Amino acid sequence: MMMITNLQASGKGEGYTSKSAFLISFRKRNLRSSKSLLRNCAFLPPAITVKFAMISTESDPPAETSSPGPRSPSGQPFVMISVTEPVKMGTGVQSYISYRVITKSNMTEFEGPEKIVIRRYSDFEWLHDKLAEKYKGIFIPPLPEKSAVEKFRFSAEFIEMRRQALDVFINRIASHPVLRKSEDLRTFLLEEEERMERIRSIEAGIFSKKSSDIFQMFKDVQSKVSDVVLGKEKPVEESDPEYEKLKNYIFELENHLAETQKQAFRLVKRHRDLGQSLADFGKAMKLLGACEGESLGKAFSDLGSKGEILSLKLQKEAHNLLMNFEEPLKDYVRAVQSIKATMADRANAFRQHCELAETTKLKEINLDKLMLMHSERAREAEIDFKESKADSEEATKRFEAIVKTMNEELARFQEQKTADLGLAFHEFAKGQAKLAHDIADAWRGVLPKLEAL
Amino acid sequence: MMMITNLQASGKGEGYTSKSAFLISFRKRNLRSSKSLLRNCAFLPPAITVKFAMISTESDPPAETSSPGPRSPSGQPFVMISVTEPVKMGTGVQSYISYRVITKSNMTEFEGPEKIVIRRYSDFEWLHDKLAEKYKGIFIPPLPEKSAVEKFRFSAEFIEMRRQALDVFINRIASHPVLRKSEDLRTFLLEEEERMERIRSIEAGIFSKKSSDIFQMFKDVQSKVSDVVLGKEKPVEESDPEYEKLKNYIFELENHLAETQKQAFRLVKRHRDLGQSLADFGKAMKLLGACEGESLGKAFSDLGSKGEILSLKLQKEAHNLLMNFEEPLKDYVRAVQSIKATMADRANAFRQHCELAETTKLKEINLDKLMLMHSERAREAETDFKESKADSEEATKRFEAIVKTMNEELARFQEQKTADLGLAFHEFAKGQAKLAHDIADAWRGVLPKLEAL
C-alpha cells in the first residue's frame, strides 16, 4: 500500500505504531470496514484487524473493542488512546464537559498497560498550544472549534462530534513520529487531574499572549514588517517558486474543502427534510387507507408504512453523513488551517533569518571601519558582531529546520489526506448506495399490491 | 377486470366507448404503461392498445398518437377528444390561453371523423355549469382551479397542468353514459368560435347568480332553512343511516385526500431541494478534484460528475411526481368536492320534497274543512290543493331520481377511483424505485475508484 511504502522509504521505522494508532483513530470515528486497508497493513497483529472489522457504528466506548487480542506479539510497541464518556460537570455558566482519557500501551513511558485520567477541552487546548510553540515546522493536529452557540453546547450531537474530534486529535499526536515523544503529551496523558489543572492555569496567562501572536501571524502570512534598518517597505518573503506553488495550492485547497464541507452539511439537511416529508406523507397515506376499504385501503396503508420506514432510514443516513463525512471534511479544513499556521511560522523564521543576516552584515562593515581607524570601540564592536553572527546562524538554522520539517510533514500530509479523504468519500458513496438500494427495494415491494388493484 | 365486470353488471352497455375515452384521458396524462390494464380490456381494438403503450412521456400533441389504427373495427362507436396546443392570446390584463380541441369520432352526432374548434377556460366553465344545472344527481367532472397567482398564470408548468386537467375533464364527460348525450357537450365540441362566445356571454349573467347559489349550497350541505310554514328551526335532513355513513365517508375522504396531496406537493419540493444540493455538491467536488492531482483528484472529479448527473435525475423525478402523482391527487380532491355539490343538490331536493309534502297536507286539511263548511272557497282550495299535490309529487320524483342516480354514480366513482388512484400510486412507487435504483447504481459505480486509492 502506498502509505506503508512511503513511511518505510522516509525511514519512519515506527510505521506500525503510528499507523495503528492512526487507523485506530478512524475506527473510533465509526467509519466502517475498509478491510482492504487493514488487510494490506502488515504491521498490525491479526487480532486487531479482526476486532476493527467488528466495531459497530454505535459509539460504545471504543476502549473495549480496541484492546489487542491475546495473539498480539508482546514485542511490538504500541499506544492506543480513547477519549470517552463525556460527562457534564458543574452548573450554570460554569458547566463544562469532562472526558475519560484512557491510554493503553506496552511502553513504559506511557505507564502501561493502562492509564486513565479525566480531561476537559481546555486541557487539550493547552497541549495543542504547547506543541505549536515547541515544534515549529510540524503541522500540529487541529482541535475542534473552541466555542459553540450556547444552546448547542450540550446537545448530544455536538458532544459526540467533539468527543470524536478530540479522540482523532490525541491519536494523531500519538502516531506522529516526533510529537509522540513530547513530554507535554506524557504530562497530558498521565498527570493527576489537580496537577494538570494547575499547569494549565499557570500557563494560561502566558498563552493568551502567545495565542494572539500566533493568530496575528495566522491572519497575516505575508507579515508586513517595516524594517527601519533595512530601509525597505516591501515585506520580506521567500522567492522560491516551488514554495509559491505550494502556498497557492494550500489556499485553494482550503477554499475548495470548505465549500465541499458546506455543501455536505446542506446535503445532511436535505436528507433530514426529505425524511420528515416522507414520514408526513406516510401518515397521510395511512389515514387515507383507513378511510378506504378493502384492497385500495390496504394498498394505501402499506404504502404509508413504507414511507414511514424509509423516513427512518433517511434520518439515519443523514446522521451517518454528518458524523462520517461532513465532520472529516470539517476536520481537514482545520488541518489545512494548521498548515497555514506553520507557513506563518516559516515566514516569521525567514524574516528573522533575513533581518539578522542583514544586521550582521552591517555590523561587520561597521567593525571593519572601526578596525581600520584603530578605534577603541573596535573590541566592543567585535563582540557585538560575533554575537550577531551567532544569532544569525541560529536563525538560519531554525529557518532551514522548519523548511526540512515542512517537507517531511507535507509528504506525510498528502498520504494521510489521500487515505482519510478517500475513506470518507468511500463511506459517503457506500452509504448513499445502500440507502438508495433500500429505497428501491421498499418501493418495488409495494408494486405487486398496486398492480393487483 | 373488476371495472369491466361492474360496468356490465350495471347494464352500462356502452362500456367500451366510455372506458376507451376514459382510459385515453389517462394516457394523455402521460402516465406510463399499465399495459395489463389495457390488455384485460376486451373492448379496445388491439391497435389502440399498442399505440397507447407507445405514447411517450413528452407532451407531444396526443392527437397524433391516439387515432385508431387501420385495424379498428369501423362498427364500434367511439369518441376521442384532445385538448392541445395552448396559445397565449391577447395582451396585458386581458390576455388568456386558448386551446385546440380536437374531436375524433365515427359517430354522426360528433361530426366525425374529425372536428377542430378553439376554446378557452371560460368555455369549459360554461359547459360545466350547464351540466351541473341540468343533471342533478350526477357527479359532474371537476374543473381545474379558476384563478391562479398572476405570476404563475402563464408559467409553462401551470399551462401544462391546466391543459392536462381540461383534457381529462372533457374526456370524462364524453365517457359518461348520460353526460355524453348532452346537447351542451355537442355545442361545446362543434360550434363555431363566434357562436360559442355569444352563447357564453349571454349565459354569463344568469350563471353568475346560479354559480353563487351552487357555492352557497356547496359550503352549507346541511342548509339551514328556517321554514315559517313548518314552524321548525331544525334543518330538514334525511335520516337514512346509510346516507349518513356515506356523507361521513365523503367528508373524511376529502380531508385525507387533501392532506395526502399537500404532502405529495411537499415531497416534490424536497426532491427539487435535494437535487439542487447535489448539483452544488458536485460542483464543489469537481473544483476540489481539479486542485488535487492524480488519483485523488480524478476520484473527486468523478464523484462530482455523478452528483451532477443525479441532480438532473432528481429534478426529472420531481417533475414526474408533480404531473403524474400530485396532480391526479388534486384532481380527486376536486372530484370529491363535486360529489359534495351533488349532496347539496340532494339535500335541497329533499327539503323541497318535505316542504311541498307538508304544504300539500296542510292544504288537504284546509280543503276538508272548507268542504265540510260547504264554503264557496272550497273549489278554489281544491284547485290549489291539486296543484300543490302535483308539485309535491314532482318534487318527490326529482328527489328519488337524484337518489337513484347518486347510487349509480357512486358505484362508478368507486371503480374509477380504485383504477385511477391505483394507477397514480403505482406510478409513484415505480418512479421512486427507478430513481433510487439509478442513484444506487451511480454511487456503486464510483466505489472501485475510491477503493483503489
Side-chain angles (χ1 to χ4, degrees), chain A residues 196-212:
Chain A
M196 187 69 231
E197 194 178 337
R198 241 192 320 227
I199 292 170
R200 183 166 41 82
S201 23
I202 288 171
E203 314 238 11
I206 309 170
F207 267 145
S208 53
K209 186 163 174 299
K210 278 230 173 292
S211 297
S212 59

Side-chain angles (χ1 to χ4, degrees), chain A residues 8 23 32 53 65 112 120 133 183 197 221 227 269 288-289 296 322 350 377 413 435 437 445:
Chain A
Q8 289 177 320
L23 285 168
R32 263 183 274 210
T65 44
R120 54 185 289 188
E133 180 195 347
E183 185 150 348
E197 194 178 337
V221 176
D227 198 316
K269 187 175 187 304
L288 191 57
L296 194 65
L322 184 72
F350 180 74
R377 292 181 301 169
F413 171 75
L435 174 70
H437 177 82

Side-chain angles (χ1 to χ4, degrees), chain A residues 417-451:
Chain A
K417 173 158 62 67
T418 300
D420 291 350
L421 292 187
L423 192 63
F425 283 106
H426 186 268
E427 285 302 309
F428 166 78
K430 226 172 62 152
Q432 291 284 290
K434 171 134 204 338
L435 174 70
H437 177 82
D438 290 348
I439 291 176
D441 276 355
W443 292 128
R444 269 198 287 259
V446 301
L447 285 177
K449 277 211 186 77
L450 292 167
E451 275 156 14

Side-chain angles (χ1 to χ4, degrees), chain A residues 451-453, chain B residues 1 27 33-41 49 423 426:
Chain A
E451 275 156 14
L453 284 173
Chain B
M1 239 204 83
R27 284 300 135 249
S33 81
S34 206
K35 289 187 200 169
S36 60
L37 200 80
L38 295 170
R39 265 201 296 276
N40 292 341
C41 184
T49 314
L423 192 62
H426 186 269

Side-chain angles (χ1 to χ4, degrees), chain A residues 1 36-37 249 252-253 256-257 259-260 263-264 266-267 270-271 273-274 276-278 280-281 284-285 287-288 290-293 295-296 300 303 325 329 414 417-419 421-423 425-430 432-437 439-441 443-444 446-448 450-451 453, chain B residues 1 36-37 249 252-253 256-257 259-260 263-264 266-267 270-271 273-274 276-278 280-281 284-285 287-288 290-293 295-296 300 303 325 329 414 417-419 421-423 425-430 432-437 439-441 443-444 446-448 450-451 453:
Chain A
M1 237 204 84
S36 59
L37 200 79
Y249 164 74
E252 255 201 82
L253 183 63
H256 296 321
L257 271 176
E259 178 64 21
T260 305
Q263 294 306 334
R266 229 180 252 170
L267 268 183
R270 298 286 176 238
H271 276 69
D273 291 344
L274 185 58
Q276 185 56 51
S277 207
L278 259 182
D280 296 337
F281 174 75
M285 285 300 299
L287 285 174
L288 191 57
C291 145
E292 295 287 333
S295 48
L296 194 65
F300 286 176
L303 221 111
F325 182 60
L329 283 174
Q414 291 294 53
K417 173 158 62 67
T418 300
L421 292 187
L423 192 63
F425 283 106
H426 186 268
E427 285 302 309
F428 166 78
K430 226 172 62 152
Q432 291 284 290
K434 171 134 204 338
L435 174 70
H437 177 82
I439 291 176
D441 276 355
W443 292 128
R444 269 198 287 259
V446 301
L447 285 177
L450 292 167
E451 275 156 14
L453 284 173
Chain B
M1 239 204 83
S36 60
L37 200 80
Y249 164 74
E252 254 201 82
L253 183 64
H256 296 320
L257 271 175
E259 179 62 22
T260 304
Q263 294 306 334
R266 229 181 254 169
L267 267 182
R270 298 284 176 240
H271 275 71
D273 291 344
L274 184 59
Q276 184 56 52
S277 206
L278 259 181
D280 296 337
F281 174 76
M285 284 301 298
L287 284 174
L288 192 57
C291 144
E292 293 288 334
S295 49
L296 194 64
F300 286 176
L303 221 110
F325 183 60
L329 283 174
Q414 290 295 51
K417 173 159 61 68
T418 300
L421 293 188
L423 192 62
F425 283 107
H426 186 269
E427 286 302 310
F428 167 78
K430 227 172 61 151
Q432 291 284 291
K434 173 136 201 339
L435 174 71
H437 177 81
I439 292 176
D441 276 355
W443 292 128
R444 269 199 287 260
V446 300
L447 285 178
L450 292 168
E451 274 156 15
L453 284 173

Side-chain angles (χ1 to χ4, degrees), chain A residues 281-329:
Chain A
F281 174 75
K283 214 158 53 174
M285 285 300 299
K286 284 168 102 172
L287 285 174
L288 191 57
C291 145
E292 295 287 333
E294 303 160 30
S295 48
L296 194 65
K298 220 186 158 300
F300 286 176
S301 296
D302 283 343
L303 221 111
S305 300
K306 279 281 150 70
E308 291 183 325
I309 288 169
L310 290 179
S311 167
L312 291 173
K313 285 191 195 277
L314 273 156
Q315 299 296 1
K316 203 167 157 215
E317 173 63 11
H319 182 77
N320 177 48
L321 272 180
L322 184 72
M323 301 305 266
N324 297 329
F325 182 60
E326 193 264 351
E327 273 306 292
L329 283 174

Side-chain angles (χ1 to χ4, degrees), chain A residues 84-224:
Chain A
T84 70
E85 287 182 39
V87 172
K88 184 172 173 182
M89 312 281 282
T91 50
V93 278
Q94 295 195 324
S95 51
Y96 64 93
I97 303 284
S98 76
Y99 306 88
R100 253 163 89 94
V101 180
I102 305 169
T103 308
K104 291 188 174 179
S105 174
N106 63 354
M107 297 156 72
T108 43
E109 48 263 59
F110 292 110
E111 288 178 28
E114 186 177 278
K115 179 80 183 178
I116 301 177
V117 294
I118 304 293
R119 294 288 181 257
R120 54 185 289 188
Y121 181 87
S122 332
D123 297 323
F124 288 84
E125 215 182 354
W126 168 88
L127 176 61
H128 175 274
D129 296 346
K130 277 301 228 183
L131 296 175
E133 180 195 347
K134 293 182 183 167
Y135 295 91
K136 300 291 181 199
I138 291 183
F139 305 153
I140 309 299
L143 280 172
E145 276 82 20
K146 180 174 175 60
S147 55
V149 179
E150 189 57 41
K151 59 171 180 159
F152 290 133
R153 217 154 59 90
F154 293 110
S155 80
E157 209 168 64
F158 176 79
I159 288 173
E160 174 54 22
M161 292 200 294
R162 184 174 259 204
R163 184 204 64 75
Q164 206 167 263
L166 292 175
D167 189 299
V168 169
F169 166 76
I170 199 69
N171 278 288
R172 275 180 173 150
I173 294 174
S175 66
H176 192 286
V178 177
L179 296 178
R180 58 195 301 268
K181 297 190 190 131
S182 131
E183 185 150 348
D184 296 312
L185 174 65
R186 280 201 295 279
T187 303
F188 178 87
L189 293 176
L190 311 170
E191 277 297 341
E192 298 272 319
E193 284 76 17
E194 287 151 357
R195 262 191 63 80
M196 187 69 231
E197 194 178 337
R198 241 192 320 227
I199 292 170
R200 183 166 41 82
S201 23
I202 288 171
E203 314 238 11
I206 309 170
F207 267 145
S208 53
K209 186 163 174 299
K210 278 230 173 292
S211 297
S212 59
D213 272 342
I214 288 169
F215 283 127
Q216 181 56 41
M217 289 182 254
F218 194 106
K219 289 191 180 90
D220 191 12
V221 176
Q222 300 165 341
S223 38
K224 292 188 199 235

